[in-house]
Amino acid sequence: MTAAVHLQDVVKRYGSVTAIHGVSLTIADNEFFTLLGPSGCGKTTLLRMIAGFEAVTAGEIRLFGDDIARLDPNHRPVNTVFQHYALFPHMSVIDNVAFGLKMQGIDLAARRTRAGKMLEMVHLSHFADRMPAQLSGGQQQRVALARALAPAPKVLLLDEPLSALDLKLRQAMRVELKTLQQETGITFIFVTHDQEEALTMSDRIAVMSEGRVQQVGSARDIYETPDNRFVADFIGETNLLEVDVHSVTDGRASMTLPGGHPLTCPSASATPGRHALSIRPERVTIAATGELKATVDRVVYLGTDLQVLSRLADGSPFTIRLQNAARTTIPEAGATIGLHLEEGAARLLAD
Amino acid sequence: MKGVRHYPGFLSITVLCLTILYAPLIVIMVYSFNGSTSITQWGGLSLRWYGEVFTGPEASRFGQAAWNSITIALMASTAATIIATAAALAMVKGGRFRGRSASFALINLPLMVPEIVTAVASLIFFTTIGLTTGYGTILIAHITFCIPFAYLPLAARLEGIEATYEQAARDLYATRAQAFRLILLPLLAPGVASGWLLAFIISLDDFIITNFVKGAGMETLPTAIFGSVKQGIKPNIMAISTLMLAASVLFVTAAYLINRKGRQTP
């Protein structure tokens, strides 16, 4: 099957500054694909290159097999939902939604019907004749979605569309977006810096940093088996320990933890030497017989969770998350505790 | 913190400034309705000087001058607005190009150069290239000095229009020309209108430059009024001045309202 979008060695340079360093990605048809990364990582630039607002310096962008990298935006069968919606302020809601259809030369009656259907889909039928300025942020967002989906694009691009909404609305829109994607069967490429957004909606996520794709995988893949230090650190909370790997046999690396306790963990490609070990705070339990010893600095109450900030024998900080259950014993500040790593809690990172 | 209005002497200074600025205008407006032939003695309320403007011995001279003023203002402001629109598009949407700062200075130079210098320079220029001074030279001069007045509100408006509107249009299959015509131009319209109105009123008002480049026998309303005043101020001049003032106020208010309305829906 042909991929919906295939990027091959895409490079973007602004003068002497390289924003995108040869990115290659394959996005399947009907996939909810997210580009996730901190601001300035190149995720928006990549999206704008797919839309056609930025020229590619080198590389190919294929849409269902056709190279579109050098086409004008109006010749690419993809539509965009902009960060601040960019609804045309001088046109009514229905005219905004019908704009793409009008440009495609569809006659008035047909485009009115189609635009009406789109508004129905985003539950805004009764706002058809309003002007965009008369709508709330959330409603404008839904009009922007209807407008971008009306011409039935092959791929929908979304540039941080939820960032301007307040928390409650954002959470509701996440569900709505995911439903919309499944109902329409259109491939969504979603750009965000919000990892929670990425983890809750995406089929697959590409984590980006400094113009490069660091890792591509499902939410579970990137959270539980991060490839490198950046991904482990950027996605969720983690403890990064410096460890010495002394041998690797049968795909398992043996190392010594701070405090002297030995540990082996699976690793496909590790070589002996100094490496970072990622341990998620919620995969650690307090047990006197644990592999690590730590001194508690502070306990932070977070409602559903408790965060225990502690220090290991070598002085490095270590965070533990405990569920705020009735049976949880809360350690005192200053106490020395043992920490037990659950099976598979530790992940040896490439770099 | 106390506002400026609580400073000592605020009220008296304000009243003084407003009096100096507006008292002469108010005197002219009031005396334009004077019934007597004297410009200093009140002879009861009357519209006789307004009648005089349209039917009196000077009516045809002022009529021709008004006609010249209005036609020149219409053409000059329209031409200046078209040029200013093109300039604003290049300056605001054209990205960085060589000579951008120089272009900006050139567009706005007429605002900085003393009018008398422009007037003398224009006259020298027209005679040097062999153009006969008259209606045509007035028009050319007016187009030139109207450009910055049309440019400023236009460029300000254009700067407020985010690039994403055009991108959204292009994304929704509009060609470059369609995006300009259907999206950018309607959004820019209030700026174009207020630029045009401002240019119109500046052209209608101009005296110094016009007086230099108009040539013999050609009059616009301001030069005709000046010519008439040289032989002594008659009440009909006050009536004409009041009419011009009313037109100016009307146009400036319209420009302001159009611009403000445009700003409510950015």
Side-chain angles (χ1 to χ4, degrees):
Chain A
M1 196 185 71
T2 342
V5 176
H6 178 74
L7 307 180
Q8 189 64 52
D9 302 314
V10 171
V11 174
K12 178 68 190 178
R13 271 191 289 270
Y14 296 100
S16 59
V17 183
T18 306
I20 303 284
H21 301 265
V23 165
S24 296
L25 276 176
T26 303
I27 299 162
D29 193 10
N30 199 9
E31 192 171 20
F32 196 122
F33 191 89
T34 298
L35 298 170
L36 172 67
S39 60
C41 72
K43 58 191 190 299
T44 296
T45 307
L46 207 56
L47 194 80
R48 291 171 59 81
M49 285 198 286
I50 300 171
F53 306 139
E54 301 273 359
V56 295
T57 309
E60 279 179 11
I61 299 175
R62 293 195 172 275
L63 189 81
F64 291 95
D66 304 324
D67 190 358
I68 57 164
R70 269 121 203 126
L71 294 182
D72 276 343
N74 52 325
H75 292 127
R76 300 184 189 204
V78 299
N79 291 140
T80 308
V81 177
F82 291 85
Q83 189 171 8
H84 299 291
Y85 325 136
L87 297 179
F88 306 131
H90 57 299
M91 292 183 191
S92 67
V93 165
I94 190 94
D95 287 343
N96 262 282
V97 176
F99 186 85
L101 304 166
K102 188 177 172 184
M103 293 301 105
Q104 287 178 318
I106 292 164
D107 67 71
L108 182 69
R111 64 181 191 249
R112 279 256 152 188
T113 314
R114 169 93 180 142
K117 274 209 189 91
M118 286 318 206
L119 282 179
E120 215 170 285
M121 189 177 70
V122 296
H123 319 298
L124 283 175
S125 300
H126 47 300
F127 289 125
D129 297 318
R130 296 264 186 108
M131 297 307 276
Q134 295 169 294
L135 303 183
S136 73
Q139 290 164 342
Q140 290 187 25
Q141 169 68 84
R142 301 220 294 274
V143 175
L145 264 169
R147 183 177 72 173
L149 285 169
K154 288 186 172 169
V155 173
L156 186 74
L157 309 173
L158 303 105
D159 183 11
E160 308 214 21
L162 307 184
S163 62
L165 303 177
D166 61 45
L167 183 67
K168 281 269 182 238
L169 208 52
R170 206 153 63 214
Q171 288 170 339
M173 279 306 290
R174 279 181 203 160
V175 180
E176 207 165 324
L177 270 181
K178 184 70 186 170
T179 315
L180 215 53
Q181 191 263 329
Q182 284 164 340
E183 277 175 7
T184 56
I186 291 172
T187 307
F188 277 29
I189 303 180
F190 186 91
V191 161
T192 185
H193 63 268
D194 183 330
Q195 45 162 309
E196 205 180 309
E197 240 166 66
L199 295 177
T200 50
M201 290 190 292
S202 319
D203 294 320
R204 283 192 311 149
I205 300 165
V207 183
M208 290 188 67
S209 159
E210 293 174 349
R212 289 186 174 85
V213 172
Q214 303 293 332
Q215 187 173 357
V216 184
S218 68
R220 180 176 282 265
D221 288 341
I222 61 161
Y223 186 79
E224 297 196 3
T225 53
D227 277 348
N228 59 36
R229 187 189 280 264
F230 176 83
V231 176
D233 202 26
F234 186 72
I235 308 294
E237 256 187 302
T238 198
N239 295 293
L240 290 173
L241 303 184
E242 295 294 331
V243 291
D244 280 314
V245 173
H246 34 77
S247 66
V248 184
T249 42
D250 300 333
R252 289 187 77 83
S254 305
M255 67 206 81
T256 312
L257 290 172
H261 207 282
L263 182 81
T264 64
C265 74
S267 170
S269 57
T271 49
R274 210 156 175 74
H275 288 286
L277 187 71
S278 164
I279 303 168
R280 296 288 182 194
E282 70 279 10
R283 305 291 295 273
V284 178
T285 50
I286 297 177
T289 57
E291 297 91 334
L292 288 166
K293 290 272 175 287
T295 312
V296 177
D297 282 341
R298 210 151 69 84
V299 179
V300 182
Y301 183 80
L302 298 171
T304 55
D305 284 354
L306 292 164
Q307 195 181 32
V308 180
L309 306 174
S310 68
R311 229 156 253 293
L312 297 182
D314 64 350
S316 52
F318 197 93
T319 307
I320 310 138
R321 256 193 198 244
L322 303 174
Q323 247 185 15
N324 191 8
R327 60 189 154 72
T328 309
T329 0
I330 302 166
E332 300 275 329
T336 303
I337 51 171
L339 301 173
H340 170 61
L341 310 183
E342 289 174 10
E343 183 59 34
R347 165 96 181 155
L348 199 61
L349 302 176
D351 203 7
Chain B
M1 202 190 82
K2 279 184 173 185
V4 68
R5 75 183 68 177
H6 297 288
Y7 287 179
F10 174 79
L11 186 69
S12 41
I13 292 173
T14 306
V15 170
L16 184 72
C17 290
L18 290 178
T19 308
I20 292 170
L21 274 172
Y22 289 105
L25 292 181
I26 291 166
V27 168
I28 283 185
M29 281 194 282
V30 171
Y31 274 85
S32 71
F33 295 103
N34 192 355
S36 88
T37 47
S38 161
I39 59 161
T40 49
Q41 279 180 347
W42 185 251
L45 208 60
S46 154
L47 285 174
R48 65 181 277 203
W49 300 115
Y50 287 91
E52 176 93 7
V53 168
F54 294 104
T55 55
E58 287 185 306
S60 71
R61 189 168 151 258
F62 280 128
Q64 184 57 45
W67 173 253
N68 290 342
S69 270
I70 289 166
T71 52
I72 286 171
L74 279 174
M75 286 189 281
S77 56
T78 304
T81 305
I82 291 168
I83 296 168
T85 307
L89 284 170
M91 295 295 292
V92 180
K93 300 276 170 193
R96 287 171 182 221
F97 54 89
R98 267 178 71 115
R100 190 174 179 276
S101 306
S103 306
F104 183 78
L106 274 177
I107 292 167
N108 291 297
L109 204 59
L111 295 177
M112 266 78 89
V113 175
E115 225 188 316
I116 186 72
V117 176
T118 311
V120 173
S122 301
L123 180 61
I124 294 170
F125 175 71
F126 289 139
T127 43
T128 308
I129 64 168
L131 267 182
T132 319
T133 51
Y135 191 91
T137 50
I138 299 176
L139 184 60
I140 294 169
H142 279 222
I143 291 172
T144 314
F145 70 73
C146 280
I147 290 171
F149 292 97
Y151 174 82
L152 289 176
L154 248 162
R157 174 80 194 171
L158 196 55
E159 264 160 25
I161 301 174
E162 282 175 52
T164 49
Y165 292 125
E166 266 178 287
Q167 282 170 2
R170 299 276 281 140
D171 189 58
L172 293 162
Y173 314 109
T175 61
R176 208 175 279 276
Q178 284 172 321
F180 178 76
R181 189 165 52 82
L182 299 171
I183 306 300
L184 193 60
L185 213 52
L187 293 177
L188 186 58
V192 174
S194 63
W196 185 87
L197 287 170
L198 202 57
F200 182 86
I201 212 68
I202 292 291
S203 163
L204 197 67
D205 260 4
D206 182 74
F207 173 74
I208 302 179
I209 295 174
T210 311
N211 201 35
F212 273 72
V213 300
K214 73 185 174 61
M218 175 59 63
E219 300 286 357
T220 64
L221 207 45
T223 63
I225 291 173
F226 183 73
S228 177
V229 166
K230 276 196 289 194
Q231 288 132 40
I233 301 175
K234 277 169 287 170
N236 62 341
I237 294 299
M238 295 192 187
I240 292 180
S241 302
T242 305
L243 286 173
M244 279 190 80
L245 183 66
S248 284
V249 169
L250 215 66
F251 269 73
V252 173
T253 310
Y256 171 77
L257 288 178
I258 287 171
N259 220 3
R260 198 182 59 169
K261 183 165 177 291
R263 216 156 270 159
Q264 282 164 352
T265 51

